[in-house]
Amino acid sequence: MENALDEVQKEKIWLNSGGFIVIQQTEAFVSIDVNSGKFTGKKKAEENLSDKINLEAAKEISRQLRLRNLSGIILIDFINMTNPDHNNELFHVLQKISEEGSG
């Protein structure tokens, strides 16, 4: 298992679901891109996987922000989801993570 110092030096972080996030820090902001990895499949399965990856990514992004001590403008590009319920769920997870991190 890699240590935290090795982990914070990497741009690409793999998620358990098979997706990954890419974190790039510039002078103006931090850019985080959430990707589905190599998944190719049916539309319904893709939507469910996107939801799963986005939720897992939100938790990992929160962890990475604390590990890397990142702040300021943070732009996160999640995987597009068509189901409004999935969007709402992601929003509530982000809100809960944000509240936990500030307390």
Side-chain angles (χ1 to χ4, degrees):
M1 182 172 187
E2 64 190 349
N3 65 38
L5 184 58
D6 291 336
E7 187 176 346
V8 299
Q9 294 176 349
K10 293 182 178 180
E11 264 190 15
K12 186 184 227 180
I13 295 102
W14 285 95
L15 304 171
N16 291 332
S17 58
F20 61 91
I21 57 176
V22 177
I23 301 174
Q24 296 177 322
Q25 188 171 1
T26 68
E27 285 187 39
F29 62 92
V30 177
S31 169
I32 302 175
D33 188 25
V34 180
N35 295 285
S36 60
K38 299 178 181 179
F39 176 78
T40 56
K42 297 184 179 176
K43 199 71 166 168
K44 180 69 173 167
E46 186 177 334
E47 175 72 20
N48 290 336
L49 185 63
S50 295
D51 181 43
K52 179 180 178 181
I53 291 171
N54 282 339
L55 292 172
E56 183 181 356
K59 294 172 187 167
E60 182 60 27
I61 289 166
S62 173
R63 182 177 164 276
Q64 290 294 323
L65 292 176
R66 289 189 307 274
L67 271 177
R68 297 167 189 246
N69 196 28
L70 297 174
S71 60
I73 298 172
I74 299 171
L75 176 71
I76 303 173
D77 181 17
F78 285 102
I79 301 168
N80 290 338
M81 297 183 295
T82 56
N83 185 332
D85 292 337
H86 292 172
N87 288 327
N88 289 335
E89 180 182 15
L90 179 59
F91 175 77
H92 290 298
V93 166
L94 288 168
Q95 193 171 33
K96 182 179 177 187
I97 290 170
S98 174
E99 290 167 358
E100 289 172 356
S102 64

